[in-house]
């Protein structure tokens, strides 16, 4: 009988897996038995995350990569194939925000947020597709946001990128279902990470507003994403 939630023998890539939600998801994947390749730009954060994952007895590796470019996404998939021989799971999690009023963004800032949060997911999914076909199927998890749905005055490009992530997810899911590749999006609420620690510094009153509007009365914990990642694989 197939054991539920067993990812033994599977190989996953988690972009932005060196901290926050990505590391939470990577931890869940390795605890379920998968080998994980994390990708991030910061070599120090990558090394620390690999050490933490290996301490769980996992096969883990890091690739120093900026996933906004096609060549980097292709190289990331190649690295996973070289290291672990196959690719079954891709978590498109890398993300940034630049917080300003809409009238104040430069075109470069707009592009930087869209490239990091949305284009990277498209490019990494494209790069992963042939390897997933070869594996007989795969799972792609795209990280959206509550701002995929709601607006925020300080998050024009971010909200646009996250809204796009939901629509990209639907298109990929429709196109690749025939190939046994399932594509889902996760839309987190307010989670305590480096990203939102910066937001709390930059947006006056955000911390209090989040606590007041969150029924649990606290910020979310990235560790909660371990089970979410596994349940979607
Ligand atoms: P973190 O800042 O902790 O993590 C972001 C990750 O993305 C880091 O690992 C960072 O690594 C990586 N990253 C950023 N840019 C690039 C790039 N160009 N190439 C490769 N990696 C990159 O934030 P979170 O964990 O909060 O965010 C993870 C995802 O969850 C994001 O997509 C975010 O939008 C989303 N999200 C977060 C919420 C929250 O409340 N925290 C709510 C809703 C969605 P490095 O710096 O080494 O490149």
């Amino acid at each position: 009988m197939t054991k539920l939630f067993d990812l033994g023998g599977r190989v996953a890539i988690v972009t932005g897996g060196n901290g926050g939600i990505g590391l939470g998801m990577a931890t869940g994947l390795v605890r379920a038995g998968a080998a994980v390749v994390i990708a991030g730009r910061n070599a120090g954060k990558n090394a620390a995350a690999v050490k933490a994952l290996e301490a769980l007895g996992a096969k883990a590796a890091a690739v120093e990569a900026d996933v906004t470019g096609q060549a980097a996404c292709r190289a990331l998939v190649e690295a996973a194939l070289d290291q672990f021989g196959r690719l079954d799971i891709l978590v498109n999690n890398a993300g940034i925000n630049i917080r300003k009023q809409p009238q104040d963004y430069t075109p470069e800032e707009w592009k930087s947020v869209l490239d990091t949060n949305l284009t990277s997911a498209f490019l990494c999914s494209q790069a992963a597709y042939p390897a997933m076909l070869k594996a007989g199927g795969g799972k792609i998890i795209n990280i959206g946001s509550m701002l995929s749905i709601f607006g925020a005055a300080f998050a024009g490009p971010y909200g646009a990128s996250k809204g796009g992530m939901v629509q990209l997810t639907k298109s990929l899911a429709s196109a690749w279902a025939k190939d046994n590749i399932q594509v889902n999006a996760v839309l987190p609420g307010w989670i305590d990470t480096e990203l939102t620690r910066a937001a709390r510094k930059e947006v006056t009153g955000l911390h209090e507003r989040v606590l007041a509007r969150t029924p649990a009365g606290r910020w979310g914990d990235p560790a909660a994403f371990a089970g979410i990642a596994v349940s979607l694989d």
Side-chain angles (χ1 to χ4, degrees), residues 77-169:
V77 170
E78 281 309 313
L81 295 176
D82 284 351
Q83 190 96 14
F84 298 122
R86 58 185 288 142
L87 179 64
D88 306 277
I89 299 160
L90 168 65
V91 183
N92 287 311
N93 162 80
I96 58 166
N97 196 3
I98 299 173
R99 298 168 195 90
K100 291 185 171 184
Q101 293 295 301
Q103 63 273 24
D104 296 332
Y105 286 96
T106 65
E108 292 72 27
E109 288 169 335
W110 166 271
K111 189 169 178 331
S112 163
V113 175
L114 269 289
D115 283 355
T116 307
N117 297 2
L118 179 59
T119 308
S120 71
F122 176 65
L123 294 175
C124 285
S125 300
Q126 249 190 353
Y129 179 65
M132 287 186 174
L133 275 184
K134 203 167 165 204
K139 309 280 182 182
I140 298 177
I141 303 173
N142 290 330
I143 308 302
S145 165
M146 281 291 105
L147 295 183
S148 299
I149 300 167
F150 303 119
F154 58 82
Y158 184 89
S161 71
K162 294 298 184 179
M165 196 69 143
V166 169
Q167 293 307 114
L168 173 65
T169 300

Side-chain angles (χ1 to χ4, degrees), residues 9-232:
R10 309 274 184 87
V11 178
I13 289 175
V14 182
T15 71
N18 65 21
I21 290 172
L23 184 55
M25 287 202 153
T27 302
L29 296 173
V30 302
R31 282 172 58 194
V36 173
V37 177
I38 58 165
R41 297 160 302 174
N42 183 312
K45 276 163 62 183
N46 286 349
V50 167
K51 209 171 154 192
L53 294 172
E54 284 178 342
L56 299 170
K59 286 188 198 158
V63 174
E64 200 179 316
D66 176 344
V67 292
T68 57
Q70 186 182 46
C73 294
R74 287 183 175 167
L76 173 59
V77 170
E78 281 309 313
L81 295 176
D82 284 351
Q83 190 96 14
F84 298 122
R86 58 185 288 142
L87 179 64
D88 306 277
I89 299 160
L90 168 65
V91 183
N92 287 311
N93 162 80
I96 58 166
N97 196 3
I98 299 173
R99 298 168 195 90
K100 291 185 171 184
Q101 293 295 301
Q103 63 273 24
D104 296 332
Y105 286 96
T106 65
E108 292 72 27
E109 288 169 335
W110 166 271
K111 189 169 178 331
S112 163
V113 175
L114 269 289
D115 283 355
T116 307
N117 297 2
L118 179 59
T119 308
S120 71
F122 176 65
L123 294 175
C124 285
S125 300
Q126 249 190 353
Y129 179 65
M132 287 186 174
L133 275 184
K134 203 167 165 204
K139 309 280 182 182
I140 298 177
I141 303 173
N142 290 330
I143 308 302
S145 165
M146 281 291 105
L147 295 183
S148 299
I149 300 167
F150 303 119
F154 58 82
Y158 184 89
S161 71
K162 294 298 184 179
M165 196 69 143
V166 169
Q167 293 307 114
L168 173 65
T169 300
K170 292 177 189 173
S171 296
L172 297 180
S174 302
W176 294 345
K178 67 175 180 2
D179 301 315
N180 192 30
I181 298 171
Q182 288 81 40
V183 189
N184 286 286
V186 174
L187 313 187
W190 291 100
I191 314 301
D192 181 19
T193 66
E194 273 183 27
L195 187 77
T196 51
R197 280 194 278 280
R200 271 170 273 178
K201 280 197 195 123
E202 291 172 22
V203 182
T204 311
L206 178 67
H207 178 63
E208 292 72 22
R209 284 208 301 280
V210 167
L211 293 188
R213 293 182 60 172
T214 306
R218 62 169 175 80
W219 289 69
D221 181 350
F225 289 82
I228 294 169
V230 176
S231 69
L232 290 173

